[in-house]
């Protein structure tokens, strides 16, 4: 965990490409023991996949920055002037955070991890590459819009036929990142706002699933028996992730659509808004499984109607309140 924090901090603080690359590399190496600690074949497989993709992305990034130093003679992050290294760096960072069409590793990896490591992977691990993308942003505008649009669409389509919660959360992550990348070059502050709200919403979703000890839709149906109060709140968290007003998740989507329309990208905004409908469908499916069905031979009558008091209770309460 210390290595994770240090890696992200080093990337944040760097102005030199080598230092930024080092921070990303430390991030990757620090999360690997966390991923593989459950010596389960699935966890080991996910760790290997993650390591290979991240190493590929880091190698591409290093290659691109060396190319840039070779072509222009300097290593500053802000000074990427040549189109070739800038495109390559954008693609490498897109592979790092899992933007479509470079997203295929993310659902696979997330599916093999436990929920806590999955939470770290889908929140904290996005910070360092995002800091770099934000500093690069005036470079390749059409590429960013293409990446953003394909991510929102694939994040919507991919989650439709899933029954595994972690894969659904992975596709939801891809879609949210797509929204952030779409608006990045026009208004970085909206991107950061979206990232923050996404973190809060994902945090409460992961914690609820952890409290229920559920990893697929079928185990969600018994959650009334385990924690009724939480189960009643869960659709609000999920619909906030889907971006329905008046919940928090609606705010970034509204601002992004407004900004895209201002920039004269109405077709892009329309496509993004339609892809949000796809995501909404699978959030609704989860809500339906959790709250609108009561499982047979359930224990609702005999369970005390309160939250089990674990160390998760306070962070969960805070993030859920913020999400709603």
């Amino acid at each position: 965990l210390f290595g994770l924090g240090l890696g992200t901090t080093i990337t944040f603080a760097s102005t030199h490409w080598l230092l930024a690359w080092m921070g990303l590399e430390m991030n990757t190496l620090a999360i690997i023991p966390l991923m593989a600690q459950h010596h389960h074949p699935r966890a080991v497989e996910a760790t290997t996949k993650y390591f290979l993709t991240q190493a590929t992305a880091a190698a591409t990034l290093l290659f691109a920055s060396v190319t840039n130093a070779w072509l222009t003679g300097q290593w500053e992050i802000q000074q990427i002037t040549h189109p070739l290294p800038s495109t390559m760096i954008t693609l490498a960072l897109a592979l790092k955070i899992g933007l479509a069409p470079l997203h295929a590793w993310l659902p696979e990896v997330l599916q093999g991890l436990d929920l806590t490591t999955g939470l770290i992977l889908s929140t904290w691990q996005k910070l360092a590459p995002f800091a770099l993308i934000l500093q690069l942003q005036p470079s390749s505008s059409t590429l960013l819009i293409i990446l953003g649009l394909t991510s929102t669409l694939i994040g919507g389509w991919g989650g439709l036929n899933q029954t595994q919660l972690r894969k659904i959360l992975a596709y939801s992550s891809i879609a949210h990142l797509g929204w952030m990348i779409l608006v990045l070059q026009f208004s970085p502050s909206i991107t950061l706002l979206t990232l923050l709200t996404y973190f809060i919403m994902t945090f409460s979703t992961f914690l609820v699933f952890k409290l229920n000890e559920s990893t697929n839709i079928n185990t969600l149906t018994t959650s009334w028996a385990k924690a009724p109060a939480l189960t009643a709140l869960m659709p609000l968290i999920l619909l906030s992730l889907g971006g329905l007003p008046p919940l928090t998740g609606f705010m970034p989507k509204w601002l992004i659509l407004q900004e895209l329309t201002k920039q004269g990208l109405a077709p892009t905004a329309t496509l993004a808004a339609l892809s949000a409908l796809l995501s909404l469908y699978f959030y609704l499916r989860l809500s339906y499984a959790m709250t609108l069905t009561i499982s047979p031979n359930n224990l609702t009558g005999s369970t005390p109607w309160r939250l089990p008091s674990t160390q998760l209770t306070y962070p969960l309460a805070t993030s859920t309140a913020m999400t709603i």
Side-chain angles (χ1 to χ4, degrees):
L1 284 172
F2 179 67
L4 273 180
L6 192 62
T8 307
T9 317
I10 285 180
T11 306
F12 273 13
S14 58
T15 54
H16 191 289
W17 270 117
L18 269 181
L19 205 58
W21 170 80
M22 263 171 53
L24 292 171
E25 204 66 357
M26 283 175 67
N27 249 355
T28 306
L29 291 177
I31 200 173
I32 281 176
L34 288 175
M35 291 175 148
Q37 67 184 344
H38 290 290
H39 291 296
H40 186 275
R42 196 73 188 78
V44 176
E45 181 192 347
T47 313
T48 315
K49 285 178 178 171
Y50 181 77
F51 175 69
L52 288 174
T53 48
Q54 297 296 309
T56 310
T60 314
L61 187 86
L62 190 61
F63 176 58
S65 51
V66 171
T67 312
N68 182 64
W70 181 43
L71 291 169
T72 60
Q74 28 106 22
W75 284 91
E76 293 288 310
I77 291 185
Q78 308 273 349
Q79 306 290 330
I80 295 283
T81 44
H82 202 278
L84 175 72
S86 91
T87 309
M88 277 170 59
I89 287 172
T90 312
L91 286 173
L93 292 169
L95 177 59
K96 264 209 174 296
I97 54 177
L99 285 171
L102 307 162
H103 67 287
W105 61 273
L106 186 60
E108 292 291 319
V109 168
L110 209 55
Q111 181 54 35
L113 307 179
D114 70 312
L115 290 167
T116 323
T117 320
L119 176 61
I120 296 177
L121 180 67
S122 34
T123 54
W124 186 260
Q125 290 297 85
K126 309 269 189 258
L127 282 172
F130 238 92
L132 294 176
I133 298 180
L134 275 168
Q135 293 178 70
L136 274 180
Q137 42 103 3
S139 55
S140 43
S141 48
T142 42
L143 178 65
L144 284 182
I145 287 188
I146 292 169
L147 284 171
L149 261 184
T150 43
S151 296
T152 52
L153 289 165
I154 286 183
W157 282 122
L160 291 183
N161 57 353
Q162 298 295 339
T163 56
Q164 298 290 338
L165 293 181
R166 286 165 292 184
K167 280 195 176 170
I168 288 181
L169 284 168
Y171 281 111
S172 138
S173 168
I174 295 168
H176 279 272
L177 285 169
W179 281 88
M180 292 171 216
I181 294 294
L182 269 180
V183 79
L184 186 79
Q185 50 190 320
F186 308 119
S187 168
S189 49
I190 294 185
T191 299
L192 288 173
L193 174 79
T194 316
L195 191 66
L196 186 68
T197 48
Y198 163 71
F199 276 12
I200 296 168
M201 298 187 293
T202 311
F203 192 70
S204 38
T205 317
F206 266 100
L207 286 191
V208 171
F209 290 159
K210 193 168 173 51
L211 222 67
N212 281 333
E213 295 167 5
S214 47
T215 51
N216 59 19
I217 291 187
N218 293 341
T219 47
L220 277 184
T221 47
T222 59
S223 55
W224 268 118
K226 291 179 192 158
L230 253 188
T231 311
L233 281 177
M234 193 57 195
L236 289 173
I237 302 177
L238 287 166
L239 293 179
S240 186
L241 265 169
L244 279 194
L247 304 162
T248 314
F250 173 59
M251 170 183 57
K253 284 198 166 51
W254 182 22
L255 291 170
I256 289 172
L257 290 175
Q258 189 180 346
E259 185 61 40
L260 287 175
T261 324
K262 259 191 226 163
Q263 300 291 341
L265 294 170
T268 310
T270 314
L271 269 173
L274 288 175
S275 72
L277 283 175
L278 294 166
S279 306
L280 196 60
Y281 173 77
F282 58 81
Y283 295 130
L284 277 171
R285 246 176 96 193
L286 291 183
S287 319
Y288 182 79
M290 276 192 90
T291 50
L292 299 179
T293 54
I294 290 188
S295 57
N297 65 25
N298 75 326
L299 314 161
T300 317
S302 57
T303 4
W305 276 60
R306 59 189 169 73
L307 272 183
S309 189
T310 60
Q311 76 266 44
L312 292 179
T313 313
Y314 295 110
L316 179 62
T318 318
S319 62
T320 306
M322 287 166 87
T323 306
I324 293 170

